[in-house]
Amino acid sequence: MRTDPHAHRRTVWLSRSLLVLAVSGMVMFGLTLIAGARSTDARSGEIERQQIQSGHATRLGELAALVMPQAIWDQAVVRLDNRFDAGWASLNIGTYLNQVGGFELAEIVDRSDRPIFLAIDGESANAAPSDRPSIALPHLIDSIRDQERQRGTFLRRGQSKKMIAAPIQATTVSMIGGQPYAIVATLVQPDFGTALPIGPRAPIVFAADALDDSFLANIATRYQLIEAMLADPSSQPEPHQTEVTIADDAGRPMIAVRWRQHKPGTAMLEQTWVYMSAVFAFFVLSIILVHLAVVRANGELILKEEALEAALAKAEQASRAKSQ
C-alpha cells in the first residue's frame, strides 16, 4: 500500500518549519544578548556618573576636613581672633594648607567680614587690592554667620577634656579669575577652650582648591576613568564620551568631567562573540543537516514506493498473461 504523498509533503513542511523556527530562535537569542549588553552598558554609565557626582561631594568633605584642624584650634583663636598675627597666619594657614592640602588660595576675613589675609600658592599676598582673586564669597559668609548665631556664644574659658565646638563650615564651587575652584569656608573656633573669641563673631578662614589637572588625576585614579579630561560645559562631548557637569550652588555649570565610559556588556560580547558564533553555526548547520536528511529520506521512500508499485504492476500483468 502506497504511503499518502501528502504525508511526505507535510513531513518536509514540518522539517522546514522547524528549521525556520530554530534559526529564528537563534537570531532572537543573539539580538537579546546584544540588547542585554547595551542595557548593561547604559546602567554602567549611569553608575559611573553617580560615582563621580558623589565623589565630588566626598572630595569637598575631604577638603573641609583638611582645613578644620587649622581653624578649630585654641591657637587659631589667639592668633586670628584675639589679635591678628600675620606671620602665624602665613605659616599655619597659607603655607600649611598649600603644602598639606594642596590649596592654591587661602583667605581670612575678620569678625566684620573684611579681608585681612590672602595667600596665593602658599605665599602671602596683599589682601587689599581689588585685582586680587577673592574667595570670600558673600553667600558662604552668610551661611557661616547664620550657623554662628545658632551656635551662640561660649560661656567660659577653661581646659576641657573634649572639644567644645562643632565644626561650622560651608563649601561650594565657584569661578575665580576664570578658573573653577572648590572653596571651603571654616569659622575660627576653640577646640578645648583655653582661649575664646572676644566677641559674638569670629574670623572665617577660606581655602580654595582649583578644579584642574590635579583634581582630574585624583578623580580619574579613584574611579578608574578612561581617557578622562576637563572640558567647557558649554561644548558638546564626543559620541563615545560620558560626562558629569560640576555646578555652583545656583546650578550654573562650572566645568565638565568627561571620560570614555566602561562598557562591560560590549566587552563581554567582544570577548565571546567567536565562541557564540561557533555555537550558533553548529546548531544551524545541525538543523540544516537534519532537514536535508529528512527530505532525502522522504525522497528515497517515495522512489522505493514507486519502484515497488511498478514491480507489483508488472507482476500483476505477468500473472494475467499466464491465466489467459
Side-chain angles (χ1 to χ4, degrees), residues 74-91:
D74 291 343
Q75 276 296 306
V77 172
V78 173
R79 303 290 185 171
L80 300 180
D81 177 85
N82 296 170
R83 60 181 178 85
F84 180 67
D85 186 333
W88 190 94
S90 177
L91 179 64

Side-chain angles (χ1 to χ4, degrees), residues 22-319:
V23 172
S24 299
M26 294 299 293
V27 170
M28 290 299 296
F29 176 71
L31 293 176
T32 300
L33 286 178
I34 294 173
R38 290 180 177 176
S39 177
T40 299
D41 291 343
R43 179 57 181 161
S44 175
E46 181 61 28
I47 291 174
E48 286 183 0
R49 287 188 289 273
Q50 291 174 356
Q51 286 179 331
I52 300 306
Q53 289 168 346
S54 63
H56 171 61
T58 299
R59 179 58 179 162
L60 287 177
E62 292 171 349
L63 294 175
L66 289 170
V67 179
M68 185 174 65
Q70 298 305 105
I72 306 177
W73 184 14
D74 291 343
Q75 276 296 306
V77 172
V78 173
R79 303 290 185 171
L80 300 180
D81 177 85
N82 296 170
R83 60 181 178 85
F84 180 67
D85 186 333
W88 190 94
S90 177
L91 179 64
N92 291 277
I93 300 298
T95 302
Y96 179 90
L97 292 181
N98 177 256
Q99 294 183 354
V100 176
F103 293 96
E104 289 84 0
L105 302 175
E107 188 170 357
I108 302 173
V109 299
D110 63 14
R111 63 179 59 88
S112 299
D113 300 334
R114 294 174 301 193
I116 56 175
F117 175 80
L118 175 66
I120 301 175
D121 293 326
E123 298 292 332
S124 297
N126 190 342
S130 58
D131 60 342
R132 297 294 189 185
S134 177
I135 56 175
L137 303 180
H139 75 280
L140 290 183
I141 294 176
D142 291 342
S143 175
I144 294 295
R145 295 305 181 199
D146 286 343
Q147 296 179 67
E148 187 179 35
R149 281 192 294 271
Q150 293 174 12
R151 181 208 63 194
T153 58
F154 297 101
L155 297 179
R156 61 181 181 177
R157 177 178 173 178
Q159 180 73 42
S160 174
K161 295 183 179 179
K162 61 181 181 179
M163 291 186 65
I164 66 172
I168 292 180
Q169 295 181 293
T171 60
T172 191
V173 173
S174 184
M175 195 72 71
I176 306 294
Q179 170 70 49
Y181 283 88
I183 303 174
V184 179
T186 307
L187 182 68
V188 173
Q189 298 185 94
D191 49 4
F192 296 107
T194 59
L196 297 179
I198 60 177
R201 289 160 58 113
I204 303 173
V205 174
F206 293 85
D209 181 46
L211 302 184
D212 54 12
D213 290 340
S214 61
F215 160 78
L216 179 65
N218 180 285
I219 291 290
T221 300
R222 181 175 297 188
Y223 297 103
Q224 300 181 348
L225 302 184
I226 304 171
E227 299 177 12
M229 61 177 291
L230 297 175
D232 184 342
S234 64
S235 65
Q236 291 296 319
E238 297 295 329
H240 65 274
Q241 288 180 322
T242 298
E243 74 169 3
V244 165
T245 299
I246 297 175
D248 64 8
D249 291 341
R252 293 184 295 263
M254 296 288 103
I255 198 167
V257 181
R258 293 174 182 168
W259 67 95
R260 182 183 292 274
Q261 177 193 327
H262 289 86
K263 294 187 175 182
T266 299
M268 182 272 294
L269 288 181
E270 290 175 348
Q271 293 173 2
T272 61
W273 74 269
V274 173
Y275 306 104
M276 289 190 293
S277 297
V279 172
F280 176 80
F282 171 77
F283 276 105
V284 170
L285 182 60
S286 298
I287 294 170
I288 291 174
L289 291 176
V290 170
H291 169 70
L292 293 176
V294 170
V295 172
R296 181 178 179 181
N298 275 276
E300 290 176 352
L301 181 59
I302 292 173
L303 291 175
K304 288 179 180 179
E305 289 181 344
E306 289 176 348
L308 179 59
E309 288 180 353
L312 289 174
K314 288 181 180 180
E316 189 174 342
Q317 288 178 356
S319 177

